[in-house]
Amino acid sequence: AGQTVGNAQLLVRVVDGITTLEYLRGVLHEGQLDARMTVDVREPTVKVALTGGLKGVEMNSLLTSIGKSETAAGYVDMDWDIDTRGETAMALQTGLDGDLNVQGRNVEITSVSAQKLICSAIAQIQQTTLSNDMPATTKISALSARVRFVDGQAQLSPLNLGTQGIALSGDGAASLETLDFAATLKAQVNDELEALDKACRVDERYAGLDLPVNCAGNLTDETGNLCRVDVEDIARQLLEREARSKL
């Protein structure tokens, strides 16, 4: 999708088949962009190098521009150092190599509620039901993520986020060709969940327990139903813990 940089300042040099964007500065989706790029077209295999950062970008604006509106809101900082090479647009896409780092503040995932997902699983294990309405979104107090582009994949490792009653961490990978992805997250819960519903009550059995959350699909899919809590694995961990306590 095309992007518009407001108040743009740039300096470009073209010498002997090498185009160097010395700097591109401006406003992009409310954030401050500072980027540099080199494009070498002296051979059939084009070489591209990208470095830079984007501070204070508004997530809903950014995601709407790539067709993923109403997915997340709030502000994040990004920085990247990425190279690629190829003779076609797809080769340049799958040939990405480098890192993208993201730090978030006041972020809200508007397409899914982590509290509802986790509380529903806990209630199922405890053979009870939720009696209160769960939050419709996930308000994140802390977010950090690193995406490494390598071998035709975007590898997410690690992802860490905190929200009411839940700390999530994990990793995953997406194909740069098909955009299919899979991720495995581990949730640790605390007694803040009980404030939402008594059925979310976290007793000593859950202390230090990793609640696995598996996500899979395609990056073009709607995001609301891509993740599920592995209730069977949680039940297995609880049974093993109880068995050890009786030894």
Side-chain angles (χ1 to χ4, degrees):
Q3 304 290 332
T4 300
V5 178
N7 300 321
Q9 300 177 355
L10 69 158
L11 176 62
V12 180
R13 302 184 190 277
V14 182
V15 180
D16 296 333
I18 299 178
T19 300
T20 302
L21 180 62
E22 298 284 358
Y23 60 80
L24 171 59
R25 303 180 184 124
V27 178
L28 180 62
H29 303 296
E30 302 183 31
Q32 295 296 318
L33 174 67
D34 186 356
R36 293 157 294 284
M37 178 173 67
T38 301
V39 181
D40 184 344
V41 296
R42 292 175 297 179
E43 299 177 359
T45 299
V46 176
K47 301 174 183 177
V48 182
L50 300 161
T51 60
L54 184 57
K55 293 188 178 299
V57 62
E58 205 288 309
M59 289 296 293
N60 187 51
S61 176
L62 174 62
L63 292 169
T64 297
S65 75
I66 58 174
K68 302 292 286 185
S69 62
E70 305 304 323
T71 301
Y75 295 88
V76 300
D77 297 335
M78 303 178 180
D79 65 78
W80 55 85
D81 186 352
I82 299 170
D83 299 325
T84 187
R85 62 177 60 200
E87 297 184 12
T88 65
M90 179 55 71
L92 289 169
Q93 178 174 311
T94 58
L96 290 171
D97 184 90
D99 295 322
L100 167 68
N101 299 296
V102 181
Q103 299 284 333
R105 59 186 189 277
N106 299 324
V107 174
E108 183 175 9
I109 301 175
T110 55
S111 58
V112 67
S113 168
Q115 284 77 16
K116 182 177 180 180
L117 194 69
I118 298 297
C119 280
S120 296
I122 292 174
Q124 181 180 343
I125 292 169
Q126 300 183 141
Q127 298 182 332
T128 185
T129 58
L130 300 176
S131 56
N132 297 333
D133 292 334
M134 290 289 105
T137 64
T138 303
K139 294 183 178 180
I140 297 173
S141 56
L143 166 67
S144 65
R146 177 188 180 192
V147 180
R148 166 157 286 185
F149 298 99
V150 63
D151 297 332
Q153 291 189 327
Q155 298 178 353
L156 176 65
S157 180
L159 166 69
N160 295 288
L161 64 85
T163 183
Q164 181 182 0
I166 305 168
L168 276 165
S169 62
D171 52 40
S175 165
L176 294 173
E177 181 176 5
T178 67
L179 302 185
D180 290 336
F181 79 94
T184 300
L185 308 179
K186 295 179 180 180
Q188 291 205 345
V189 296
N190 60 52
D191 55 12
E192 289 183 14
L193 275 183
E194 189 175 352
L196 299 174
D197 193 298
K198 293 296 183 183
C200 306
R201 186 175 66 85
V202 180
D203 59 30
E204 64 277 2
R205 296 187 305 158
Y206 294 92
L209 196 69
D210 289 328
L211 312 186
V213 180
N214 299 318
C215 304
N218 190 278
L219 293 177
T220 62
D221 293 339
E222 294 294 327
T223 56
N225 297 304
L226 298 177
C227 297
R228 61 176 292 273
V229 180
D230 192 339
V231 174
E232 294 80 6
D233 187 83
I234 297 170
R236 178 190 59 78
Q237 291 185 67
L238 289 172
L239 287 173
E240 290 179 352
R241 178 173 289 189
E242 291 172 2
R244 286 195 300 269
S245 68
K246 294 177 181 178
L247 294 178

